[in-house]
Amino acid sequence: MRLSDEELERYARHIVLPQVGGVGQKKLKSARIAVVGAGGIGSSVIPALAGAGVGELTIIDDDSVEIGNLHRQPLFRERDAGYSKADLALQFAQRLNHFVKANPVQERIGADNAAQLLADHDLVIDGSDNFATRLAVSDACVGLGISLVSAAAVQFQGQVGLFRSKPCYRCFVGDAFDSDDCDNCAELGVLGALTATVGSFAALLAINSICGIGDDQSGQLHLFDGERLSWRAMRIPAEPSCRACGLNLELPRSLR
Ligand SMILES: [Zn+2]
């Protein structure tokens, strides 16, 4: 794979960084990343990855734009209300960078279809707004051996972690949140600038992981307090009895 003169010019501020260089830029170009959710976190992740020159972006969201989304989802405009988020995010990515191949998927991702939708990607960034989806995405990533950046923001609290098979996101959360009736942003509220902060961090984590920049962050959870304006990190221990990555594998039927 080589970079054209147009790409060299476009990514010059990346390539001049010793940590990225031409080698890192080619890694980004050959990367296939799935973004689950074109909402608050996706609104930071998708522009960052498309601008960075990630070769292929799959954008999975079955929702359409509502006016109440706009305070935290700057991918969209008032006139977009009622239209598909996945389609609009695709248009945004392609207008930003025609070198990026973007694939919109207007489906609700869950335990029944996650493995099928996420297969053949190098990395998944999950910015969905509920535990049931995040756990289904995590279980699929464990089954497929795909790295997962899981990101969430609610009220003034954010969390972002990189998981590579073990420990997994389920080791952290446990099994209590598999049902659909968990808390989400609609009920608890969230500050728009917080989702942007968490989304940008998630994109940076993904780019560093693909380019091999910095220390390996897998198994580390980064927590942001938007009132104190401080980050802290904690290491997630692998849970031996985890039903996704533990010894007693009880994966969903679709992953067996
Ligand atoms: Zn686990």
Side-chain angles (χ1 to χ4, degrees), residues 106-127:
Q106 281 184 56
E107 281 186 55
R108 183 170 178 80
I109 192 167
D112 54 334
N113 63 354
Q116 175 215 332
L117 294 177
L118 300 178
D120 298 326
H121 291 86
D122 300 303
L123 185 139
V124 173
I125 301 186
D126 184 4

Side-chain angles (χ1 to χ4, degrees), residues 40-55:
I41 287 164
S43 277
S44 288
V45 166
I46 292 162
L49 297 186
V54 166

Side-chain angles (χ1 to χ4, degrees), residues 74-90:
L75 270 185
F76 313 119
R77 302 291 174 263
E78 289 179 2
R79 64 170 186 240
D80 297 332
Y83 290 95
S84 156
K85 289 185 183 180
D87 281 349
L88 291 162
L90 160 97

Side-chain angles (χ1 to χ4, degrees), residues 21-42:
V23 172
Q25 194 59 51
K26 286 179 193 172
K27 285 181 182 168
L28 290 170
K29 183 176 178 176
S30 60
R32 286 186 293 189
I33 298 184
V35 181
V36 178
I41 287 164

Side-chain angles (χ1 to χ4, degrees), residues 55-184:
E56 207 169 318
L57 275 182
T58 301
I59 301 163
I60 303 168
D61 199 311
D62 71 329
D63 219 352
S64 49
V65 177
E66 295 173 20
I67 293 298
N69 300 145
L70 297 180
H71 86 292
R72 66 184 186 284
Q73 299 181 12
L75 270 185
F76 313 119
R77 302 291 174 263
E78 289 179 2
R79 64 170 186 240
D80 297 332
Y83 290 95
S84 156
K85 289 185 183 180
D87 281 349
L88 291 162
L90 160 97
Q91 288 171 25
F92 184 98
Q94 289 185 331
R95 284 176 186 154
L96 178 61
N97 189 348
H98 70 278
F99 288 107
V100 177
K101 184 183 175 207
N103 317 300
V105 177
Q106 281 184 56
E107 281 186 55
R108 183 170 178 80
I109 192 167
D112 54 334
N113 63 354
Q116 175 215 332
L117 294 177
L118 300 178
D120 298 326
H121 291 86
D122 300 303
L123 185 139
V124 173
I125 301 186
D126 184 4
S128 61
D129 66 355
N130 66 85
F131 282 107
T133 303
R134 286 199 287 269
L135 284 166
V137 168
S138 173
D139 290 350
C141 287
V142 172
L144 294 163
I146 298 175
S147 298
L148 168 68
V149 173
S150 191
V154 67
Q155 296 181 324
F156 282 84
Q157 306 296 320
Q159 64 183 41
V160 191
L162 171 67
F163 299 93
R164 280 202 193 95
S165 292
K166 192 181 185 122
C168 73
Y169 181 74
R170 187 179 285 280
C171 290
F172 168 56
V173 173
D175 298 337
F177 294 102
D178 280 293
S179 71
D180 255 334
D181 58 354
C182 303
D183 297 332
N184 60 33

